[in-house]
Amino acid sequence: MTSTKKDPILVVIQLTGGNDYLNTLIPYGDPLYYDNRVNVGIPQEEVLPINDYVGLHPAASAIKSLYDDGKVAIINGVGYPTPNRSHFRSMDIWHTCEPDKVGNEGWLGRVIRDIDPKSENVLTGVNFGRGLPRALALSGVPVASVAVLETYGVLTGITGEPERSEALDVFSRMYAPTIGGGPVMDYLGQTGLDALKGADILKTAPDKYESTVEYAETSISKNLQGIAKVLTADLGTRIFYTQHGGYDTHANQGPAHPKLWSELSQGISDFYADLREHDTADNVLMFVFTEFGRRVKDNGSGTDHGSGGMALAIGDPVKGGLYSEYPSLKSEDLLEGDLHFNFDYRGVYGTMVEKWLGLDAQSVVGGNFEQLGFV
Amino acid sequence: MTLLAKASPSFKYSYTIGNQAVPPAHGFSGPVSVAVANDGLLYVLCSYYEYVPAWKFVVKCNMDEDYIKHFGSYGEGSGQFTWPNSIAVDSTGNVYVTDEWLNRISVFDGDGNLEKTFGTVGSKDGEWDRPSGIVFDSEDNMLVVDSLNHRIQKFSRNGEFISKFGEFGSGKGQLNTPWGINLDNDGNIYVADWRNDRIQKFSPDGSPILQIGSSGSGHGELTRPSGVAVDSEGYVYVTDWGNDRVQVYDQVGSYVEQFNGDCHGYSKWAEARMASDPEGMSAERAVVTDFTIERVFFQPTTVRIDNEDRILVVDTGRHRIQIYEKQYN
Amino acid sequence: MTGYSEISSIAHLLRRAGFGASREDLEHYSDMGYEATVEELLNPELQPDYEDDLAYRYVPYYRMGTGIPSYQCYWMYRMISTRRPLEEKMTLFWHHVFATSHSKLNRNPQMNKQLKLLRSFAMGNFRTILIEISKDPAMIYWLDNCENHNGAPNENYGRELLELFSMGVGMDQEFNYSEDDVKECARAFTGWTMAPQLPRYPYGDYCWDFEYRTDDHDHGEKSFLGETGRFNGDDIVDIIVRQPATARFLSRHLYNFFVSDEPQVPSWQTTEPQDPEAIKALEEEYFRSNGDVRSMLRILFNSDFFKNASYKKVKSPAELIAGVMRLVDDYTTPKPNSHEIAFAAAYMGQDLLNPPTVEGWHTGKEWIDSGALVERVNFAADRVGDINMPGVRRIVSRLAAYGPVMDADTLLDHSLELAGPVEVSSDRRTELMTYLEKYKEIKCGTSEEMKNFESIVTGLLRLIVASREFQFA
């Protein structure tokens, strides 16, 4: 645990589309990798070696540096029983901790509820993106979804002043408590004012923020910079969430996958530097996951949906290194041509919930699962 | 052209080009039109999702299913497509794509470099409202279906207006939201009179000569025909879009035969793709006994004849081109 | 204002039995009269079918897409453009009740096939509806009836058929059926499965078809709700539709969807209907008509309890979006980028064809959280604030027709009227007036004045749709 009194913060980055595990942490020491990855394999000499068996993709060099500094835990073979190759279903399973039945409560929704049971802070959870990922959804738990921090709020289509201020003034009057409207009308009023309040508080973040770190002009970097602005503004946000899309590399993996990892690594690395600059790196844990890995054998120019993947925990609180085993590539060990998962994702969540956030893991992830020592 | 004297031909499925994929993976996604260039190369126009910009494009390939290149994407910028409808190649090898939303034709060289775009919305001579079908005549003039003006316009290949014919209606020579267009060897013009459920044949100067088909799904009947082609002997092939089939008529418009699609097994690109067993699908496939649904057409949109009289059917919903041949015993 | 109450009641009817309507459509229906409009809505076959040919020509993936957004876009487009609004609204109703989710199916056109089925029986007989949905492959896979075998039953479908699709766990504090009934129900549906189907590669998706396997059906005797026999699935449905609980359950669902927000379904065993008389009238019609949904709807829409329920129900995201689009007359014919509208529903918490669980979406007040409210307000405000929208232009011209000079009261009253009519409390009216306070005289006589007038009106329309009242149907 961290030695300071700062509250622990979790930043979750979802890689949407199914990141190709085999081409991220590359088992370059295994000839079977090259047998299966005839078209999209990464040549041995380009791999950034971690040991004699595995190494990171060359595009992930910024993450490799963090790894070398002991700031990155790579968790191998993460997955869940009975793999599902649907993006939606698989992502739901990750979001709800319900691999067997369809659930609608998000695990981070439960985390936010446990941190702030009375919903005293409308910004305990903040999502950067549009629409609420199911991971954050829980009835009665307010979470702000921010597409772009600088323009977040209601009536954002009115850009001129004083028109916008006047419109917001009317809006706040229209949502102010009134008598006799009934409970739903009252609830709407409260929600509208919460939204205004959230927007008003968030609006202050960009002005407070100063940094020498120059982020790239990519969506992931912009979102991470947005998170840095809110995080360093000390608004009490404990859970941040954002996504990086495009990992569904059925085709064109050659250029597409490295581009994604170069963007992601640079974004994470800049974000980490920004946290250090603001003396807040010690209380922020980043967690990177994806819904599934991809098929062991490539399809000519890309890879199709598979199972078994990896997750990353990054930051000062992390004990760096490799965790869990890399699943075997031997054909007899594969499950219908996919890697066999060997570590339950709920144990990874549980590790963070318990050892980092200091909450009860069982009620969040729905059971007792083996945890790891990366925090 | 002489009247058919020999025995009736039969039409046989030959092979398939394509499978569902997005470039640079070898395949098509929602192909809607194909042009056969003088050198035999194919330009296949694909119009798929709007929510993924890379999913509208042109693929250049050959009849042996060798992939050459692709170009274009979804959007309103130069060289992009919003509602691309049809594709044609002029004698110099330039490629023309009509776009019904942007009301323009984009002209590319054979390598996919944009040469120019043109088009003005309106109903005056030389203007159009949703250009759809396009074909070049033997003099390299361009015939464009002006679909919401319900007429055909002829332009030089530089885009200068030459003439027009057709008007809205359901009578002889009138049109309703026409789509595909093609020529026979004598320069007669065939138009897929889409919302009138018929094909109309016009003389080279635009006089109506013949109407083929009527509304329905029986033999010879049509539901929203989208494309038409005529082979060297005058057989007329129609993509009967709303009935998911192709119908064949003779020179006088009598029904000859229909094909429903016969794609057996895998095209070359599909073969390569399936070698990796995407998503472990071989197990799902192994328990299927009836493959009819895989063979038949799904929303076939365009039909073209190549210089060997082979019949190319653009099978839009199945992301491929099924090729048929005419045979005499 | 003349005709105000008539337009107002027609607008209420169209918001509930449809997806809202443009002012021009409201006037058309108003000329027909309320009851005649109800009959037209109840008999969609009298109206031209939706013009699929145009949609498929310009947007081919509406028919043959291999991604689920294709069908979300297509459905949203239908809701906005159909001339048979109640048929489409009932399709949405059944999607709420028989909530099936693409997420598990992972077979892209399958949910579209289910929608076609829902649309085909939208106002049909409830017995037929239950049998047809039991044969729907999407449902079969979603609730594991393909794993429900002779000798090895899987109870999932049997249970949800009783609990969520027909009877409900209980009513009037009692249980409607026992655990044994669930087991016997499941046995009766053994062998109801789908034929194996080809996977999506290499030529795109295919749908499953229903298959009944008699060799996998448990032909033994079953006891279900007090009756005994060698029941098959359709025999079970015959017994179900005779139950008072079924009449109650369907009536409450219709009431909840069309009249006023009830508590969520799982609490119906212990929560009395808010209007027992209304439910009783619907139950009686259910039995009188032998479970004819159209007859129940006729009673409902012509009732006082319906007519008096204006603006008392929270709009679902689909209703809000389609209603706004109809008001501004956008996407009423095919147009590119319909995904922006379909995705907006997901941002507001209603990912169509992908409900969170078999319980469907939690509705009413639960549509609203701060994120969803921001999306709702901004979506509506951005559209009505766009003077290029044909419907907005028409509103502006109609307002301008009241004279070259008008006071703020006149402008506000007519704007509220043309935007709905939207009924607001006097407090809200006062608050909206503060926006217009600074304009002593509002002019639209000259083209210069007209420019200014447009911006005043669009600004006002933005605030009207940002109001709490506008969140209600």
Side-chain angles (χ1 to χ4, degrees):
Chain A
M1 285 290 283
T2 163
S3 57
T4 72
K5 285 182 184 160
K6 294 178 199 164
D7 287 328
I9 290 170
L10 179 63
V11 176
V12 177
I13 303 169
Q14 168 181 312
L15 310 185
T16 307
N19 173 51
D20 185 14
Y21 175 30
L22 280 165
N23 267 22
T24 306
L25 186 66
I26 299 155
Y28 72 98
D30 192 334
L32 288 171
Y33 169 77
Y34 293 99
D35 292 349
N36 281 292
R37 294 299 175 95
V38 179
N39 303 291
V40 306
I42 304 300
Q44 217 164 42
E45 61 275 15
E46 292 179 20
V47 172
L48 310 174
I50 282 181
N51 59 29
D52 291 345
Y53 185 70
V54 295
L56 283 165
H57 192 288
S61 58
I63 285 189
K64 177 65 165 51
S65 310
L66 286 170
Y67 184 91
D68 293 340
D69 292 342
K71 307 291 186 195
V72 179
I74 302 176
I75 305 140
N76 286 299
V78 186
Y80 53 85
T82 329
N84 188 303
R85 295 190 187 88
S86 151
H87 291 293
F88 294 89
R89 179 62 194 136
S90 192
M91 199 56 97
D92 277 356
I93 289 169
W94 278 88
H95 283 178
T96 61
C97 288
E98 299 272 17
D100 304 317
K101 66 181 179 70
V102 179
N104 61 354
E105 284 189 357
W107 75 282
L108 289 168
R110 294 191 285 264
V111 164
I112 296 166
R113 178 197 59 198
D114 291 354
I115 292 173
D116 183 15
K118 292 180 186 160
S119 300
E120 285 163 5
N121 185 347
V122 295
L123 298 175
T124 302
V126 174
N127 170 51
F128 274 78
R130 279 187 83 183
L132 199 60
R134 200 163 290 170
L136 293 159
L138 182 62
S139 186
V141 171
V143 175
S145 266
V146 181
V148 180
L149 185 59
E150 283 69 15
T151 58
Y152 176 71
V154 291
L155 297 171
T156 47
I158 307 172
T159 47
E161 287 294 353
E163 289 80 3
R164 183 164 149 76
S165 304
E166 288 170 6
L168 284 177
D169 181 52
V170 177
F171 182 89
S172 65
R173 288 167 197 240
M174 291 199 299
Y175 281 73
T178 40
I179 297 161
V184 182
M185 203 53 102
D186 290 350
Y187 170 76
L188 259 166
Q190 187 55 50
T191 310
L193 294 180
D194 278 355
L196 270 187
K197 187 168 135 197
D200 277 349
I201 302 170
L202 283 172
K203 196 169 62 187
T204 63
D207 296 336
K208 290 187 197 166
Y209 173 83
E210 272 180 42
S211 176
T212 62
V213 177
E214 285 181 28
Y215 286 82
E217 286 292 309
T218 61
S219 68
I220 183 65
S221 277
K222 281 184 185 159
N223 282 334
L224 286 169
Q225 188 182 32
I227 290 174
K229 288 175 184 173
V230 177
L231 197 154
T232 55
D234 264 339
L235 306 176
T237 305
R238 302 281 303 280
I239 304 296
F240 290 95
Y241 200 97
T242 194
Q243 301 185 29
H244 188 213
Y247 287 85
D248 198 14
T249 49
H250 289 283
N252 204 21
Q253 179 158 338
H257 192 249
K259 180 165 178 282
L260 290 165
W261 271 91
S262 148
E263 290 175 8
L264 177 69
S265 304
Q266 198 53 51
I268 286 175
S269 163
D270 288 341
F271 178 67
Y272 176 74
D274 208 3
L275 295 179
R276 286 194 70 109
E277 182 172 323
H278 290 86
D279 192 25
T280 187
D282 56 343
N283 66 319
V284 178
L285 177 70
M286 282 178 262
F287 176 65
V288 182
F289 81 102
T290 188
E291 69 265 41
F292 46 56
R294 306 192 74 83
R295 208 156 177 74
V296 174
K297 191 168 166 55
D298 73 44
N299 68 17
S301 77
T303 50
D304 296 308
H305 303 179
S307 70
M310 61 177 264
L312 301 175
I314 304 172
D316 281 355
V318 168
K319 291 178 196 137
L322 297 174
Y323 291 84
S324 183
E325 291 294 307
Y326 204 102
S328 159
L329 269 64
K330 292 188 187 124
S331 60
E332 63 269 28
D333 294 330
L334 300 181
L335 184 71
E336 291 174 359
D338 289 337
L339 292 181
H340 224 302
F341 96 104
N342 54 23
F343 197 85
D344 195 298
Y345 72 113
R346 289 166 291 185
V348 182
Y349 286 174
T351 306
M352 297 185 290
V353 171
E354 209 155 285
K355 296 181 179 165
W356 177 239
L357 298 170
L359 303 169
D360 174 42
Q362 195 179 341
S363 66
V364 170
V365 306
N368 282 312
F369 296 90
E370 185 191 345
Q371 297 188 2
L372 293 166
F374 61 81
V375 188
Chain B
M1 199 180 298
T2 55
L3 272 177
L4 306 168
K6 18 183 183 178
S8 305
S10 61
F11 301 89
K12 199 166 163 288
Y13 168 77
S14 179
Y15 68 106
T16 287
I17 295 177
N19 70 154
Q20 200 256 303
V22 188
H26 298 172
F28 310 132
S29 282
V32 290
S33 183
V34 62
V36 186
N38 284 343
D39 53 9
L41 293 178
L42 304 183
Y43 293 87
V44 182
L45 176 64
C46 295
S47 180
Y48 216 34
Y49 303 149
E50 293 166 357
Y51 47 94
V52 188
W55 287 46
K56 298 211 181 206
F57 52 89
V58 172
V59 167
K60 181 180 183 182
C61 63
N62 66 22
M63 288 291 279
D64 294 327
E65 210 177 353
D66 295 315
Y67 185 91
I68 299 167
K69 71 183 308 172
H70 69 276
F71 55 91
S73 61
Y74 176 69
E76 299 196 349
S78 64
Q80 294 186 309
F81 312 122
T82 297
W83 280 355
N85 181 286
S86 294
I87 190 164
V89 183
D90 70 13
S91 65
T92 68
N94 279 341
V95 181
Y96 296 67
V97 177
T98 61
D99 191 312
E100 288 190 286
W101 182 258
L102 299 175
N103 275 301
R104 72 183 185 195
I105 288 178
S106 296
V107 185
F108 302 87
D109 69 16
D111 291 325
N113 303 307
L114 183 71
E115 301 260 296
K116 62 176 173 182
T117 57
F118 59 91
T120 307
V121 194
S123 56
K124 297 201 213 64
D125 287 354
E127 298 176 340
W128 53 48
D129 191 358
R130 297 207 174 167
S132 54
I134 179 170
V135 68
F136 283 89
D137 67 13
S138 55
E139 289 156 12
D140 239 7
N141 291 319
M142 178 172 68
L143 288 140
V144 178
V145 176
D146 181 5
S147 69
L148 291 191
N149 288 323
H150 315 284
R151 65 182 181 183
I152 311 301
Q153 296 197 76
K154 191 195 249 184
F155 299 86
S156 73
R157 70 187 175 94
N158 297 320
E160 291 138 7
F161 173 78
I162 299 171
S163 61
K164 63 178 178 184
F165 63 89
E167 60 181 5
F168 178 75
S170 57
K172 188 178 177 189
Q174 294 180 319
L175 299 163
N176 187 349
T177 327
W179 189 335
I181 188 167
N182 229 318
L183 303 166
D184 66 17
N185 283 352
D186 298 333
N188 295 307
I189 302 157
Y190 295 71
V191 177
D193 188 4
W194 189 61
R195 271 199 150 177
N196 281 328
D197 293 333
R198 65 183 176 187
I199 301 298
Q200 290 206 67
K201 178 180 177 181
F202 297 88
S203 67
D205 65 4
S207 313
I209 299 174
L210 180 67
Q211 301 174 42
I212 302 174
S214 58
S215 296
S217 55
H219 281 171
E221 293 176 340
L222 297 165
T223 301
R224 304 290 184 265
S226 54
V228 58
V230 189
D231 72 14
S232 64
E233 293 182 309
Y235 283 100
V236 180
Y237 305 83
V238 179
T239 42
D240 187 6
W241 186 79
N243 289 320
D244 290 322
R245 63 181 179 181
V246 169
Q247 298 204 73
V248 188
Y249 303 84
D250 65 17
Q251 282 186 345
V252 294
S254 301
Y255 169 78
V256 175
E257 194 179 329
Q258 70 173 38
F259 347 131
N260 295 303
D262 301 88
C263 171
H264 300 296
Y266 297 148
S267 66
K268 208 165 107 183
W269 296 340
E271 187 80 46
R273 179 71 189 277
M274 296 308 279
S276 70
D277 189 16
E279 297 179 35
M281 284 175 170
S282 56
E284 265 179 81
R285 219 181 151 80
V287 293
V288 174
T289 50
D290 183 358
F291 291 85
T292 309
I293 197 169
E294 185 176 65
R295 294 177 178 177
V296 298
F297 299 127
F298 183 26
Q299 206 168 309
T301 306
T302 297
V303 55
R304 298 274 189 190
I305 309 295
D306 79 350
N307 45 23
E308 295 172 30
D309 246 7
R310 288 179 291 195
I311 305 140
L312 283 67
V313 181
V314 179
D315 190 3
T316 306
R318 292 281 161 234
H319 317 285
R320 63 192 175 192
I321 296 172
Q322 294 200 40
I323 294 156
Y324 283 74
E325 288 178 6
K326 186 174 62 179
Q327 293 180 336
Y328 290 96
N329 293 324
Chain C
M1 240 171 288
T2 51
Y4 178 85
S5 85
E6 185 69 5
I7 284 274
S8 192
S9 61
I10 290 281
H12 167 59
L13 176 65
L14 266 294
R15 278 195 303 275
R16 300 294 179 84
F19 297 90
S22 67
R23 185 69 180 191
E24 291 69 25
D25 283 345
L26 290 178
E27 285 167 353
H28 162 76
Y29 288 123
S30 188
D31 289 344
M32 281 169 57
Y34 187 93
E35 279 182 38
T37 302
V38 169
E39 284 310 307
E40 181 176 308
L41 292 167
L42 287 172
N43 295 283
E45 59 282 0
L46 300 177
Q47 293 306 307
D49 194 4
Y50 166 87
E51 292 174 331
D52 268 339
D53 62 342
L54 278 182
Y56 293 163
R57 169 170 177 161
Y58 297 123
V59 194
Y61 63 80
Y62 280 178
R63 180 169 181 233
M64 40 59 110
T66 63
I68 196 68
S70 308
Y71 303 106
Q72 296 174 319
C73 295
Y74 170 59
W75 196 16
M76 190 54 84
Y77 175 59
R78 279 192 79 114
M79 290 184 207
I80 296 166
S81 62
T82 180
R83 295 299 302 171
R84 299 170 167 190
L86 182 55
E87 179 184 81
E88 214 55 44
K89 197 64 177 281
M90 281 304 290
T91 307
L92 181 61
F93 169 78
W94 295 118
H95 183 50
H96 276 251
V97 177
F98 304 132
T100 308
S101 180
H102 168 74
S103 70
K104 180 170 165 181
L105 305 184
N106 199 28
R107 198 167 264 272
N108 294 295
Q110 197 75 48
M111 278 307 298
N112 193 46
K113 182 175 171 168
Q114 188 189 70
L115 276 194
K116 281 186 196 164
L117 178 74
L118 302 183
R119 196 173 290 126
S120 73
F121 63 49
M123 284 179 255
N125 180 279
F126 194 49
R127 178 185 181 277
T128 314
I129 292 170
L130 287 180
I131 288 177
E132 291 304 315
I133 197 69
S134 302
K135 290 180 179 171
D136 175 57
M139 177 59 79
I140 286 170
Y141 188 77
W142 167 238
L143 292 181
D144 306 318
N145 211 55
C146 45
E147 303 297 328
N148 186 18
H149 301 296
N150 181 15
N154 179 306
E155 289 174 9
N156 201 6
Y157 183 68
R159 178 178 303 281
E160 303 303 8
L161 173 63
L162 300 179
E163 182 178 329
L164 293 172
F165 302 158
S166 64
M167 293 172 68
V169 178
M171 63 176 183
D172 304 335
Q173 317 294 327
E174 304 289 332
F175 285 98
N176 287 333
Y177 52 85
S178 69
E179 280 297 302
D180 285 341
D181 290 322
V182 170
K183 291 193 174 74
E184 298 290 89
C185 178
R187 282 179 61 211
F189 280 97
T190 50
W192 292 49
T193 188
M194 68 276 185
Q197 185 54 285
L198 288 162
R200 79 166 71 119
Y201 294 116
Y203 299 126
D205 281 275
Y206 310 90
C207 287
W208 283 304
D209 290 317
F210 174 70
E211 185 174 85
Y212 173 67
R213 289 192 200 144
T214 185
D215 57 322
D216 197 24
H217 177 70
D218 179 345
H219 293 274
E221 196 164 81
K222 293 131 197 141
S223 292
F224 179 69
L225 296 175
E227 300 187 35
T228 304
R230 295 184 180 280
F231 297 141
N232 207 321
D234 36 8
D235 303 311
I236 292 289
V237 170
D238 281 337
I239 297 171
I240 287 173
V241 297
R242 290 200 294 268
Q243 305 299 316
T246 303
R248 171 74 61 90
F249 191 77
L250 180 57
S251 299
R252 284 192 85 163
H253 257 303
L254 290 171
Y255 184 90
N256 177 50
F257 190 81
F258 285 107
V259 184
S260 181
D261 291 317
E262 287 269 65
Q264 307 304 325
V265 177
S267 67
W268 287 0
Q269 181 187 5
T270 50
T271 320
E272 287 303 302
Q274 53 178 296
D275 184 350
E277 286 303 309
I279 298 300
K280 187 155 168 275
L282 293 171
E283 286 173 355
E284 282 171 6
E285 186 61 16
Y286 173 85
F287 284 114
R288 196 201 62 76
S289 68
N290 282 320
D292 182 50
V293 174
R294 189 187 319 258
S295 301
M296 295 173 79
L297 289 170
R298 182 175 288 114
I299 294 286
L300 190 151
F301 293 130
N302 285 313
S303 71
D304 286 341
F305 63 76
F306 174 76
K307 291 177 185 170
N308 294 331
S310 182
Y311 285 105
K312 291 204 169 58
K313 193 178 161 14
V314 178
K315 281 174 189 156
S316 66
E319 288 175 306
L320 182 108
I321 292 168
V324 168
M325 299 314 280
R326 280 179 178 254
L327 179 69
V328 304
D329 193 5
D330 195 18
Y331 285 91
T332 45
T333 55
K335 200 181 152 181
N337 296 328
S338 52
H339 55 279
E340 288 172 3
I341 296 162
F343 293 176
Y347 300 148
M348 296 176 199
Q350 190 173 30
D351 196 11
L352 289 168
L353 310 183
N354 222 355
T357 71
V358 65
E359 281 182 30
W361 291 280
H362 282 195
T363 55
K365 167 175 176 275
E366 294 199 35
W367 284 123
I368 305 294
D369 58 46
S370 58
L373 184 63
V374 170
E375 291 285 347
R376 289 166 76 110
V377 166
N378 288 346
F379 180 90
D382 288 349
R383 264 102 197 145
V384 300
D386 182 351
I387 188 66
N388 296 315
M389 294 287 129
V392 177
R393 294 209 76 85
R394 286 202 295 271
I395 290 174
V396 170
S397 337
R398 275 172 177 262
L399 289 169
Y402 286 102
V405 184
M406 67 186 83
D407 61 27
D409 277 299
T410 310
L411 180 66
L412 178 57
D413 286 338
H414 290 299
S415 297
L416 285 165
E417 172 75 14
L418 293 175
V422 180
E423 293 161 21
V424 297
S425 65
S426 60
D427 282 354
R428 206 76 72 241
R429 198 181 173 288
T430 311
E431 289 143 11
L432 285 166
M433 275 301 287
T434 61
Y435 168 76
L436 295 173
E437 259 166 13
K438 62 180 166 184
Y439 307 107
K440 295 280 171 280
E441 270 184 340
I442 299 161
K443 295 182 185 171
C444 53
T446 68
S447 64
E448 190 74 358
E449 288 165 358
M450 195 63 194
K451 272 262 164 286
N452 194 38
F453 184 70
E454 285 172 357
S455 97
I456 295 170
V457 170
T458 52
L460 180 59
L461 289 173
R462 281 180 196 267
L463 289 170
I464 289 173
V465 301
S467 70
R468 280 188 264 181
E469 280 80 355
F470 194 79
Q471 302 308 318
F472 291 82

